Amino acid sequence: MQALAQGASVEFGDGSGGVRHSMTEFHGGQLFIVQAGDGAHLALLCEESADPGVVGHQMTELVEQIGEHLRAEPRGGVQGSASS
């Protein structure tokens, strides 16, 4: 989902490819995803009655506090696989 949002951002946004927030609303809940550091994202599931503005704001504040400590190194090949 985040890759789809990234592609839409490049195509229809300012061309920088930056995605701030992604939100999916479904029967019974909501899914929020925000970029949270180098290669890292913060995802949250909540009830459908949650206020999206409040949830997004709280997630942004959390990322601002801890985002510099979050990073995910690129995945490498599995050791012992044919591609290694």
Side-chain angles (χ1 to χ4, degrees), residues 28-83:
Q30 300 175 68
L31 169 66
F32 294 83
I33 304 171
V34 297
Q35 188 172 3
D38 289 339
H41 293 83
L42 175 64
L44 178 108
L45 285 170
C46 61
E47 295 179 354
E48 62 185 329
S49 61
D51 183 332
V54 172
V55 172
H57 177 74
Q58 293 293 323
M59 290 179 74
T60 299
E61 284 191 348
L62 181 60
V63 167
E64 287 174 356
Q65 293 173 15
I66 65 171
E68 67 185 45
H69 303 289
L70 300 174
R71 84 177 129 240
E73 299 299 326
R75 294 181 187 173
V78 176
Q79 201 171 30
S81 70
S83 62

Side-chain angles (χ1 to χ4, degrees), residues 13-27:
D14 65 5
S16 69
V19 176
R20 293 184 206 123
H21 299 263
S22 295
M23 187 203 107
T24 302
E25 185 176 9
F26 51 90
H27 296 289

